[in-house]
Amino acid sequence: MTVEPAAADGIGSGTPSRGGGRFDAIVVGAGHNGLVAAAYLARAGLDVVVLESSPEIGGATRSEEAFPGFRFSVFSYLVSLLRPEVIHELDLVRHGLFLVPTASTLNPLPGGDCLFREADPQRTYRHVARHSRRDAEALFEYKLEMRRMGHLMYWLQRAAPDELAAVIGDRVAESAEHLDVDVSAEVADIARHFLDLPAARLRTFVQMLTMSSADFLGQWFESDLLKAALSSSSIIGSMLSPRTPGSAYVLLHHYMGEVDGAYREWGFQKGGTGAVAATIAKAARSHGAEIRTDSPVARVLVRDGRAAGVALANGDELSAGVVMSSAAPQISLGRLLDPEDVPGAAGAGLALRAARWQSGGCAGKVNLAISGLPRFECMPEPGPHLSGGITIAPGLDYIDRAYDEAKYGGFSERPFIDMIIPSVLDPDMAPPGKHVLSCFVQYAPYELAAGDWDDGKREAFGDAVVRTLAEYAPGIEDQILHRQVLVPPDIEAIAGIPGGNIFHGELRLSQLFLLRPDPAAAAFRTPLPGYYLCGSSTQFGGGISGGPARLAALRVLDDLRGVESAAVGGVETP
Amino acid sequence: MPAMPRQAPQGTQAVQRALALLRSFTPEAPEHRLSELAAAHGLHPSTAHRLLGVLEAEGLIGRSPESQAYRWLPGAPGTGVARSSPRRNGLRPLEPLRTPFHRRTSALCESDARRDWSGYTCVESYEPTPEREYWAVRNAAALIDVSPLFKYELVGPDAERLLDRVMTRDFSKCRTGRVLYTSWCNEEGHLLQDGNVQCLSRERFLVSAAEPCLRWFQDCGWGMDVDVRDVSEGIGVLALQGPRARAIADAATTGIDFGAMRYFDLADGEIGSGAGGGPVRVTRTGYTGDLGYEFWVAAEHAEALWDALVDAGRDHGLLPAGLLALDMARTEAGLVLIGVDYVSAVDAEIEVLKVTPAEAGLGFTVKLDKRADFVGRRALELERDRGPAWAMVGLEVDWFELERLWSEIDLRPQVVGQPASREPTPVFAPGGWQVGQCTTRFFSPLLKKYIGLATVRVEAADPGTELDVEVAVGYGRRRARARVVERPFFNPPRKTAVGPAPGVNG
């Protein structure tokens, strides 16, 4: 077979709004989840339109040639959470999915030392043993337990939370052998999986929901360096320190991804992450879905107590029996809905709770175009370490201090930085010999104590990042050709995520499972019949996963099968 | 060691004679009488006596107290080395052969993972895992030392005639400056080998093959005016494969218009950016199914070629790649390997192992419409009428089938990161009898499918046919539902595209 190239940019990959129309389903937002939902609905034979407010598709999954010859993954930069079901059911490889693995993680340390973890476990043992022989040994046990946790999450992610809750609740209440609730065999299987967990595994799971990652990791490791290195995954995208209770769950979120069955593996999409969105868009279009950019939706239209379509900001109206929103709850359950329209008393409460949804951004992105490969003091020569992740997190205190600065309303002067060099993984990202450096940076709060983010503050933040990098890769400041600095208000403005929170809301117990994004809308359905949620604020949350959108679309199709409606007919099982 | 000069210069003769005497003393033949030594070395007894006296005085040999015979002294320098020992012929244990690029490849091989290939010690993977090298083939470029190929030069007025006699393809239609991929068979039409033939002129060709075939070509050319020479050791071969190959090849050589070179063209050029870098021949061929070139260079210029390509590739993500990555890529390309996917008729101890080119998936190389008679023609004509019994097919196991099998032991599919397996495994009709065997298989991280090359009965070979292939799932063996698919599994347009160096995927 031939892998068809996917356009790496969202540019020009949608069509501008052209008036109204009548559809079976409307999807609000052309981020990866909106596109996945549309692809599933179109695949089942529905007439689907995706409405995107910005000129480009992709949402936070976008690439752009910000400077001639240099291609940036603007926001999200690696792929691991993308559900295998989505990849294979939508045939994404044929549409251009091309994931190059990032095999190692380098943590440069002050003074030219480092902590290096490679794909080969024995080599990683030797690297870690330089710092602690006990920890090097413990790492095997830890990784095994985390793979088991990843596997548990794999099962949990396969069903909507309400289905799981029903089955698990039934089992616990009745202690019965048989399952009494009306659920699919697969859901029953998942529930059994969860209920049959050994006590030790259940304990780890509860620990991950509640503990700080520093304490959680402390159960295995003595080395502060290793704990800090492993903690990186516990703070990404979250306004948490590794010492904040609950951060261990974010760690789990980053361990439940997989590449082809291997947990905790990450891949770089050729062309940048925008090509993932382009790939899903191609799949959706191949099934007949229409994607319209520059089409901001103003509100959901309601008729006879059901969602009946949407009104665009320009006044055009599109009608459909199903409306799905991939936007964050402040938009989906707030701005787009008139509380009066929502049946019963749910409306006002829904909007109010959506407004209180915790989703302040905490991260910035600094994308650099550089004239040559960075020379890290610990490993100055080019080598395999440059095709893996590189993280500046030289100690728990270091991260905690960076967090403290943000807690009091500043950005971190010496921030946590998670880097990759996309042009090493994909030479098409930069001109020959030149490179792009992607820096995910924490902490950068959405609101600064010293007033709004402006260009001055943005550049000061960029300077802090470069200054920090230069401590580990001396001379990098002279290699920089171009710099792109993005802070939470930019993420909000460009990707349309309120607060600029990359997960559409913090991943903490109060916002997970049956509480995500709202007790009345936790299973993709909302109190308004015909109106569904399918974005990162549902189910297991953010990351380029497509998992929530897939389950949401399947639920829509289930509901349509139950509803004999003139508007939608002939729905086939995907 | 250099051969002994027949006529030694004056004054050195005595030294030579003394050394020759000294070498007569070995652990196996520790004692010699004077008369015996003199006779053996063609010396007058008095000369032998004088020389042996010096050797004894210098402590290099001893004297038996009883018999007064001269005697080997353990540890004495120069003795016991058996060079001229009448019981040894001087053959030392064979050491692995080194390709002309060995110094370069070994300096980079941090894993020390090597494997024998036709007597040469070759890198399996430079790094502990072949992953980056594999992705370099598909995403940037990889440099692979394929020098162990056997190479034969066919020179003479009858060179073309010989090829047309031996090969299944039509060499009267092979233009100079082209490479032809072909099979060759025995009289029964059974496949001996497959390989590439470079057409350098009407009277000069270069055949590359995985196994020796000098004698076969010479015997087939009996009575023809053609010289068949084995030039295997004098030529180094580097495969440069991947989407960036054209840009790198262009920068590393002069005198070749790479944009104009078509798939299976060949061209001569110079190494480096200026003149004097040494000659190199480039063929647009390879074993990866990707854009790529192979560079043919005299051993003395091999390192210069390596250096030029590595320098040019530095800014394009070029990595040296070993045989594991090559094997993964060639499987995706659906290219068969002799000794793995088919057995050469010369190695087939039992009849059932023999295959025709069509049965090995190489039917396209058999030109029954060509004018020349060729070895195996009659048998292959019969096969054309009767139809082959076997077919080489691609098998594909999809992701959900892998999930289903591994979920039986509560694991996610454990398939990624494993090199291609060459362990043959049975292929069954669904739930039924064995219909063939899968000889190469692996999980392609690019295609995200488990793929394999299999030989199956023709009745089971239509694309879309469902078959079962045995796979290892943990300690167990399970039948995975597979589908017959067209080869190649992966076939990017850039493989055959002409024009300027392509950048992006595709």
Side-chain angles (χ1 to χ4, degrees):
Chain A
M1 62 161 282
T2 299
V3 173
E4 298 166 32
D9 293 347
I11 302 164
S13 46
T15 48
S17 176
R18 53 145 185 77
R22 184 162 182 82
F23 298 87
D24 293 334
I26 292 167
V27 178
V28 181
H32 60 268
N33 274 316
L35 294 168
V36 165
Y40 273 93
L41 296 182
R43 183 167 166 268
L46 267 58
D47 191 8
V48 184
V49 64
V50 184
L51 302 172
E52 167 59 42
S53 60
S54 80
E56 294 167 30
I57 66 160
T61 308
R62 80 172 62 207
S63 310
E64 69 178 19
E65 191 171 331
F67 306 100
F70 295 91
R71 191 177 294 280
F72 291 148
S73 290
V74 183
F75 301 119
S76 55
Y77 50 104
L78 285 175
V79 181
S80 163
L81 293 156
L82 187 58
R83 303 304 313 147
E85 306 90 271
V86 172
I87 293 174
H88 292 280
E89 285 166 355
L90 298 182
D91 214 357
L92 294 186
V93 174
R94 189 164 63 85
H95 293 295
L97 190 74
F98 190 115
L99 297 175
V100 186
T102 59
S104 63
T105 310
L106 174 68
N107 284 75
L109 301 170
D113 197 0
C114 68
L115 182 64
F116 191 33
R117 286 170 289 149
E118 297 189 59
D120 183 275
Q122 297 306 328
R123 286 163 75 104
T124 296
Y125 173 87
R126 287 162 60 194
H127 290 304
V128 176
R130 288 200 304 116
H131 301 280
S132 161
R133 205 162 280 276
R134 284 180 57 84
D135 284 6
E137 189 180 323
L139 196 55
F140 291 105
E141 189 184 302
Y142 169 77
K143 284 180 175 170
L144 181 65
E145 186 69 359
M146 291 305 282
R147 282 204 300 278
R148 289 174 179 144
M149 286 295 110
H151 196 53
L152 174 62
M153 293 303 282
Y154 162 79
W155 282 101
L156 294 183
Q157 284 179 91
R158 293 178 69 88
D162 61 331
E163 292 176 297
L164 281 176
V167 181
I168 293 170
D170 182 69
R171 278 285 294 254
V172 172
E174 310 243 331
S175 303
E177 282 300 302
H178 70 285
L179 293 167
D180 201 29
V181 251
D182 180 25
V183 287
S184 68
E186 191 190 351
V187 174
D189 207 34
I190 297 165
R192 200 170 295 121
H193 212 94
F194 188 78
L195 290 169
D196 289 347
L197 277 187
R201 207 95 326 117
L202 206 54
R203 188 191 62 191
T204 310
F205 184 63
V206 172
Q207 285 178 337
M208 300 213 79
L209 291 175
T210 54
M211 286 176 90
S212 75
S213 76
D215 289 344
F216 180 74
L217 293 165
Q219 300 177 111
W220 282 275
F221 307 112
E222 60 185 13
S223 155
D224 180 69
L225 300 173
L226 185 62
K227 281 189 273 190
L230 294 170
S231 273
S232 301
S233 298
S234 74
I235 56 165
I236 295 256
S238 305
M239 188 56 105
L240 301 170
S241 153
R243 291 182 174 135
T244 314
S247 52
Y249 180 77
V250 183
L251 191 64
L252 178 57
H253 187 79
H254 287 95
Y255 272 82
M256 71 192 195
E258 63 173 89
V259 172
D260 304 328
Y263 289 116
R264 186 58 183 164
E265 298 290 330
W266 293 80
F268 177 81
Q269 166 67 36
K270 189 168 177 64
T273 43
V276 177
T279 292
I280 304 169
K282 273 187 85 177
R285 284 204 192 89
S286 77
H287 292 295
E290 186 187 333
I291 300 164
R292 295 189 196 174
T293 50
D294 289 311
S295 305
V297 173
R299 64 198 169 86
V300 175
L301 300 174
V302 177
R303 194 174 306 127
D304 304 328
R306 281 188 61 88
V310 299
L312 299 183
N314 67 7
D316 289 345
E317 293 193 352
L318 292 83
S319 64
V322 170
V323 178
M324 301 184 83
S325 173
S326 60
Q330 298 95 318
I331 298 170
S332 300
L333 301 177
R335 220 153 69 204
L336 297 185
L337 279 187
D338 183 343
E340 305 272 309
D341 280 343
V342 181
L350 205 58
L352 196 59
R353 288 197 298 272
R356 291 176 185 155
W357 181 247
Q358 290 186 298
S359 69
C362 61
K365 188 81 192 292
V366 176
N367 297 314
L368 301 174
I370 48 180
S371 58
L373 284 168
R375 293 173 60 84
F376 289 93
E377 206 180 346
C378 55
M379 295 172 90
E381 296 309 318
H385 61 289
L386 297 181
S387 55
I390 302 165
T391 309
I392 306 297
L396 285 171
D397 284 352
Y398 179 97
I399 309 175
D400 212 15
R401 280 196 194 99
Y403 169 72
D404 273 349
E405 287 173 304
K407 192 169 71 184
Y408 298 117
F411 60 76
S412 311
E413 288 291 344
R414 298 180 76 212
F416 162 88
I417 306 173
D418 190 43
M419 271 175 281
I420 57 167
I421 311 174
S423 47
V424 170
L425 294 154
D426 172 9
D428 296 342
M429 296 295 283
K434 306 212 167 35
H435 289 277
V436 286
L437 183 60
S438 157
C439 304
F440 176 88
V441 189
Q442 282 187 195
Y443 297 81
Y446 178 73
E447 283 178 28
L448 290 176
D452 289 347
W453 281 98
D454 55 22
D455 285 349
K457 296 196 185 72
R458 203 178 268 107
E459 291 314 310
F461 176 61
D463 290 344
V465 171
V466 173
R467 231 176 14 247
T468 304
L469 286 181
E471 288 179 35
Y472 302 91
I476 193 150
E477 60 275 28
D478 302 323
Q479 293 178 297
I480 297 170
L481 305 171
H482 304 284
R483 183 167 101 180
Q484 181 186 54
V485 182
L486 298 151
V487 292
D490 302 316
I491 302 176
E492 180 178 70
I494 299 168
I497 304 172
N501 181 293
I502 65 168
F503 295 135
H504 284 207
E506 292 278 355
L507 298 174
R508 51 181 70 166
L509 195 48
S510 58
Q511 303 199 148
L512 285 170
F513 306 106
L514 284 165
L515 303 173
R516 189 168 185 88
D518 189 278
F524 311 113
R525 294 191 189 105
T526 69
L528 176 67
Y531 183 50
Y532 299 81
L533 305 181
C534 65
S536 291
S537 62
T538 62
Q539 225 237 358
F540 287 94
I544 306 173
S545 104
R550 174 181 176 270
L551 286 174
L554 296 181
R555 172 143 289 189
V556 167
L557 295 172
D558 275 349
D559 288 354
L560 287 177
R561 265 181 224 106
V563 175
E564 292 302 321
S565 159
V568 283
V571 177
E572 289 161 27
T573 310
Chain B
M1 268 193 207
M4 292 269 268
R6 258 173 242 153
Q7 204 67 56
Q10 279 296 326
T12 60
Q13 192 188 42
V15 179
Q16 285 176 358
R17 284 175 169 173
L19 285 172
L21 286 169
L22 187 57
R23 287 199 192 92
S24 302
F25 296 89
T26 66
E28 293 80 22
E31 274 195 20
H32 300 283
R33 298 188 163 279
L34 174 64
S35 55
E36 179 193 321
L37 284 172
H41 290 268
L43 300 173
H44 193 277
S46 66
T47 309
H49 180 262
R50 204 174 64 243
L51 291 169
L52 289 163
V54 175
L55 293 174
E56 186 190 357
E58 291 294 325
L60 295 171
I61 55 173
R63 208 80 189 260
S64 164
E66 303 88 39
S67 64
Q68 287 298 298
Y70 295 94
R71 191 173 185 187
W72 173 65
L73 284 182
T79 65
V81 292
R83 181 158 176 263
S84 59
S85 159
R87 300 192 190 178
R88 289 269 191 110
N89 61 7
L91 182 70
R92 275 185 261 170
L94 289 179
E95 283 174 15
L97 296 166
R98 314 284 198 205
T99 80
F101 306 103
H102 183 82
R103 284 203 301 188
R104 293 294 186 268
T105 59
S106 59
L108 294 167
C109 182
E110 59 168 279
S111 71
D112 258 357
R114 293 177 167 278
R115 174 209 288 179
D116 174 87
W117 175 10
S118 296
Y120 289 84
T121 168
C122 294
V123 176
E124 277 201 310
S125 67
Y126 288 84
E127 292 175 13
T129 57
E131 228 169 27
R132 287 200 334 134
E133 297 161 33
Y134 159 79
W135 284 102
V137 174
R138 296 295 180 224
N139 194 28
L143 196 57
I144 309 157
D145 181 3
V146 293
S147 303
L149 288 169
F150 289 88
K151 285 143 280 187
Y152 302 103
E153 206 170 45
L154 280 59
V155 185
D158 286 337
E160 184 185 318
R161 206 178 125 215
L162 171 57
L163 285 167
D164 249 344
R165 164 81 60 83
V166 176
M167 303 299 191
T168 56
R169 283 193 92 153
D170 189 349
F171 279 81
S172 69
K173 288 185 181 157
C174 180
R175 292 186 310 283
T176 300
R178 292 285 292 166
V179 180
L180 214 55
Y181 174 66
T182 184
S183 309
W184 53 101
C185 297
N186 62 13
E187 282 293 353
E188 287 77 45
H190 287 133
L191 184 59
L192 292 172
Q193 278 208 62
D194 61 299
N196 278 336
V197 182
Q198 299 172 18
C199 181
L200 306 169
S201 78
R202 297 329 300 175
E203 300 193 357
R204 191 153 162 258
F205 297 84
L206 187 93
V207 179
S208 53
E211 301 291 333
C213 45
L214 177 76
R215 176 168 167 265
W216 180 252
F217 292 158
Q218 285 178 339
D219 287 0
C220 291
W222 182 257
M224 291 188 195
D225 189 0
V226 54
D227 190 18
V228 184
R229 284 196 294 260
D230 186 341
V231 292
S232 301
E233 282 176 38
I235 301 176
V237 192
L238 278 183
L240 173 69
Q241 304 280 303
R244 291 299 178 105
R246 188 168 302 160
I248 296 167
D250 211 19
T253 58
T254 34
I256 298 175
D257 181 359
F258 284 94
M261 246 180 125
R262 290 163 308 154
Y263 197 40
F264 276 81
D265 271 354
L266 70 81
D268 287 327
E270 295 262 322
I271 300 164
S273 48
V280 61
R281 178 173 310 132
V282 181
T283 56
R284 188 165 168 192
T285 51
Y287 201 46
T288 62
D290 218 297
L291 171 65
Y293 305 89
E294 288 173 311
F295 293 76
W296 308 72
V297 68
E300 65 262 35
H301 298 301
E303 290 184 350
L305 173 67
W306 176 280
D307 295 342
L309 288 169
V310 166
D311 279 349
R314 193 155 288 131
D315 292 344
H316 293 282
L318 176 73
L319 287 183
L323 299 182
L324 292 176
L326 180 64
D327 216 22
M328 292 158 83
R330 72 102 185 162
T331 306
E332 289 173 340
L335 299 170
V336 297
L337 179 57
I338 185 172
V340 173
D341 300 306
Y342 74 87
V343 178
S344 168
V346 297
D347 294 321
E349 266 189 83
I350 49 174
E351 245 358 77
V352 73
L353 294 178
K354 296 176 180 172
V355 290
T356 62
E359 291 172 332
L362 305 177
F364 68 96
T365 65
V366 179
K367 301 296 177 189
L368 291 174
D369 59 349
K370 83 183 204 185
R371 196 173 314 153
D373 195 9
F374 62 91
V375 182
R377 176 170 199 141
R378 202 140 325 143
L380 293 173
E381 280 169 350
L382 284 173
E383 187 200 41
R384 176 190 53 192
D385 303 336
R386 180 190 73 220
W390 299 92
M392 177 69 62
V393 298
L395 290 183
E396 199 176 272
V397 179
D398 78 18
W399 177 257
F400 297 109
E401 178 68 355
L402 298 174
E403 282 192 338
R404 185 184 70 79
L405 291 168
W406 263 268
S407 71
E408 287 178 14
I409 54 170
D410 197 20
L411 283 178
R412 302 290 290 137
Q414 308 285 300
V415 288
V416 77
Q418 289 167 11
S421 167
R422 295 174 166 191
E423 188 88 7
T425 189
V427 176
F428 304 94
W433 298 99
Q434 186 173 353
V435 294
Q437 64 279 346
C438 181
T439 43
T440 297
R441 60 195 193 282
F442 89 120
F443 180 81
S444 160
L446 176 73
L447 304 172
K448 299 194 178 293
K449 280 172 182 156
Y450 195 80
I451 57 173
L453 294 170
T455 302
V456 298
R457 307 289 312 174
V458 279
E459 309 85 67
D462 286 338
T465 306
E466 295 207 323
L467 296 173
D468 285 346
V469 60
E470 191 176 278
V471 295
V473 178
Y475 286 138
R477 295 292 179 274
R478 294 284 181 276
R479 289 185 183 192
R481 184 54 50 89
R483 219 160 36 87
V484 174
V485 296
E486 305 272 8
R487 292 174 299 128
F489 301 95
F490 176 71
N491 191 22
R494 62 178 179 255
K495 180 178 85 174
T496 53
V498 288
V504 195
N505 175 28

